[in-house]
Amino acid sequence: MNRPAPVEDSPEHAWQRARELLLARFGPEVYRAGIEGLQFAGADDHVLRLLAPTSTAANWMRLHYPGSLEEALKSIGRPRRIDILVAGRAQGELFPGEQAIGKRKPIRFGALVPRYTFSTFIVGASNQFANAACKAVAAQPGHHYNPLFLYGGVGLGKTHLANAIGHAAMEGNPDARVAYLSAEAFMTQLITALRRDRMDEFKSTFRKIDVLIIDDVQFLANRERTQEEFFHTFNALHEAHRQIILTSDKVPKDIPGLEERLRNRFEWGLIADLQPPDMETRVAILEKKAEIDGLDLPREVAIHLASKIDSNVRELEGCLTRLSAFASLSKTAITVDFAREVLHDLLKERSTVSIETIQRVVCEYYGVRLSDLLSQKRSRNIAFPRQVGMYLSRRLARASFPAIGERFGGRDHSTVIHANKVVEDRLKTDQRLRGSLDELERLANTKA
Ligand code: ADP
Ligand code: MG
């Protein structure tokens, strides 16, 4: 990318003019040896900061032509002290060691998690769309869907996919500057820069990024200063066709305390959601993980685990880790009975109300026949109880959207998502509904 020309009379511009003077005065050889590598890195009223690739480069002019840099600034009416930082030692630098001119170093900020790649990500109906969007973005960063906004519940693979894009983008272009950081880390960087009076550096560094991945942007809620800075960073990168990837546990409009203009930006590109994986996908995830860990996991054990935990892949993996630890300590083969025993405590807590129970109490409560509840009838006195049933199945039975759809007369998972939304929206205004839901929950628990 071409750097935008510094504004006339900005400190950066002053440094550029000083360099020209130095070139004229000392000639190209001295210029190349001692000046060319010094990159403008910020300034305030008293100090102009430069960045040198090595400490030799930082000291070269001082050694051979002491005072000449300051003199050059003075002669263009900018008397300032000059601080030369050595790249890599500067605090909070995103790309330490990058050469001043021309060269790019593919140093990542905040390491990507090595095992979070596309090849270790299992694709099923619940994440197929998000996975495809991520692959498209990784293949041609900045070309499609900018920003790409990934959202979904806890432990459903947002961080994994975001990292996978980073890895693939670097494979596609080893020079790509990929920055992966949580929204929280972004804020920490910002605060550090503010405290050290290094905002110029902060800005210029972030604006050099080719692929910026910010994880868990819901964390920006109510952080006005961070939002403002992020807004500017976003705009600068977006304008330059750099790729931005954001993840969140909510869609932009549901993130409370998010400035309207940021929300608006977040909705510019593509929003892709991750849903809880269905049974087959959960089994495949477990088997993949077992394979990676070199664990001998019989199919029926994988099915047993997958049937017990249906909403959160991280918990699923947690069970597997625990099982594997117990098996290797007790030198026992992993069987379903063994899994039951080892995971007893973990799984007991989640012994939940079944979908059948929920359907039964919903029917009793609203005076609807079960056959009608599961039918295709759409009259309101049936459709709403059905939506309530789906909503409660999500919360109390912790079932996945496709699983719920399946059990409610073979409906599509999008119908279940819609039902959830209908109930959630109504809850915002309808106090009586809250009371009904509490009562239904109580009934379901007593009948479970
Ligand atoms: P999130 O960021 O959405 O909370 P993570 O990306 O941290 O979730 O995923 C939690 C764990 O589950 C990670 O170890 C991740 O590798 C794993 N995981 C989630 N979805 C999948 C998947 N489809 N295939 C393989 N592993 C997955
Ligand atoms: Mg995450």
Side-chain angles (χ1 to χ4, degrees), residues 308-337:
K308 293 290 176 187
I309 296 177
D310 66 1
S311 60
N312 182 326
V313 180
R314 190 175 296 133
E315 285 178 16
L316 206 55
E317 289 188 347
C319 281
L320 192 62
T321 305
R322 181 164 158 151
L323 204 54
S324 143
F326 271 77
S328 86
L329 286 174
S330 61
K331 304 201 166 27
T332 313
I334 298 178
T335 60
V336 172
D337 282 342

Side-chain angles (χ1 to χ4, degrees), residues 234-438:
F234 184 104
N235 288 342
L237 292 178
H238 196 274
E239 255 163 48
H241 301 286
R242 312 299 176 72
Q243 182 67 46
I244 301 160
I245 296 126
L246 308 164
T247 80
S248 167
D249 64 356
K250 300 182 188 65
V251 288
K253 76 170 171 48
D254 289 343
I255 302 176
L258 183 69
E259 280 182 35
E260 185 49 41
R261 55 182 188 166
L262 262 188
R263 171 168 320 169
N264 174 276
R265 294 295 186 282
F266 289 179
E267 289 169 349
W268 269 0
L270 180 74
I271 299 183
D273 68 326
L274 288 158
Q275 294 296 333
D278 55 27
M279 183 71 188
E280 291 75 15
T281 311
R282 297 200 295 280
V283 171
I285 290 172
L286 283 169
E287 291 186 338
K288 179 80 182 181
K289 174 113 169 75
E291 182 197 317
I292 292 172
D293 296 351
L295 183 72
D296 195 5
L297 180 74
R299 168 65 53 90
E300 63 271 19
V301 178
I303 291 174
H304 174 72
L305 293 182
S307 68
K308 293 290 176 187
I309 296 177
D310 66 1
S311 60
N312 182 326
V313 180
R314 190 175 296 133
E315 285 178 16
L316 206 55
E317 289 188 347
C319 281
L320 192 62
T321 305
R322 181 164 158 151
L323 204 54
S324 143
F326 271 77
S328 86
L329 286 174
S330 61
K331 304 201 166 27
T332 313
I334 298 178
T335 60
V336 172
D337 282 342
F338 181 73
R340 266 210 194 96
E341 199 183 307
V342 169
L343 303 174
H344 180 68
D345 304 336
L346 279 180
L347 301 180
K348 195 173 64 184
E349 284 161 32
R350 29 186 66 257
S351 79
T352 45
V353 182
S354 72
I355 294 182
E356 287 75 33
T357 307
I358 292 169
Q359 290 173 337
R360 220 167 55 227
V361 298
V362 165
C363 285
E364 275 169 32
Y365 188 85
Y366 287 104
V368 177
R369 276 204 302 266
L370 183 62
S371 57
D372 283 342
L373 196 78
L374 306 186
S375 73
Q376 301 304 314
K377 290 185 188 162
R378 296 228 210 131
S379 59
R380 218 192 110 68
N381 62 334
I382 296 171
F384 189 66
R386 185 185 292 135
Q387 288 171 328
V388 167
M390 292 182 182
Y391 172 90
L392 289 173
S393 299
R394 182 82 182 135
R395 286 188 175 48
L396 306 181
R398 292 160 165 264
S400 67
F401 289 131
I404 298 170
E406 182 65 28
R407 307 285 279 284
F408 274 79
R411 291 182 152 75
D412 189 70
H413 76 283
S414 61
T415 308
V416 186
I417 294 171
H418 175 71
N420 256 276
K421 194 164 166 348
V422 168
V423 175
E424 275 168 10
D425 285 351
R426 250 181 83 167
L427 269 175
K428 287 177 193 150
T429 52
D430 186 346
Q431 277 307 310
R432 279 205 357 246
L433 179 58
R434 161 83 12 238
S436 302
L437 292 179
D438 288 347

Side-chain angles (χ1 to χ4, degrees), residues 155 157-160 180 215-216 247 314:
K158 301 181 294 292
T159 298
H160 188 136
Y180 165 82
D215 208 356
D216 291 320
T247 80
R314 190 175 296 133

Side-chain angles (χ1 to χ4, degrees), residues 6 9 40 52 56 96 110 121 141 152 167 170 205-206 229 245 282 284 297 350:
D9 273 321
F40 178 79
T56 312
F121 192 77
H167 288 299
M170 303 233 343
T205 328
F206 267 92
E229 202 48 53
I245 296 126
R282 297 200 295 280
L297 180 74
R350 29 186 66 257

Side-chain angles (χ1 to χ4, degrees), residues 21-83:
L21 279 182
L22 290 160
L23 171 63
R25 178 164 168 211
F26 294 113
E29 259 154 50
V30 169
Y31 182 82
R32 240 174 272 130
I35 299 156
E36 193 170 44
L38 303 179
Q39 189 187 23
F40 178 79
D44 60 27
D45 289 346
H46 310 288
V47 185
L48 184 106
R49 281 185 293 277
L50 300 174
L51 189 67
T54 62
S55 60
T56 312
N59 293 323
W60 201 90
M61 285 303 281
R62 292 207 164 127
L63 200 62
H64 296 281
Y65 302 98
S68 58
L69 299 178
E70 284 81 357
E71 253 172 58
L73 276 181
K74 210 167 160 184
S75 69
I76 55 166
R78 293 302 191 93
R80 272 196 176 88
R81 191 164 57 108
I82 291 182
D83 270 357

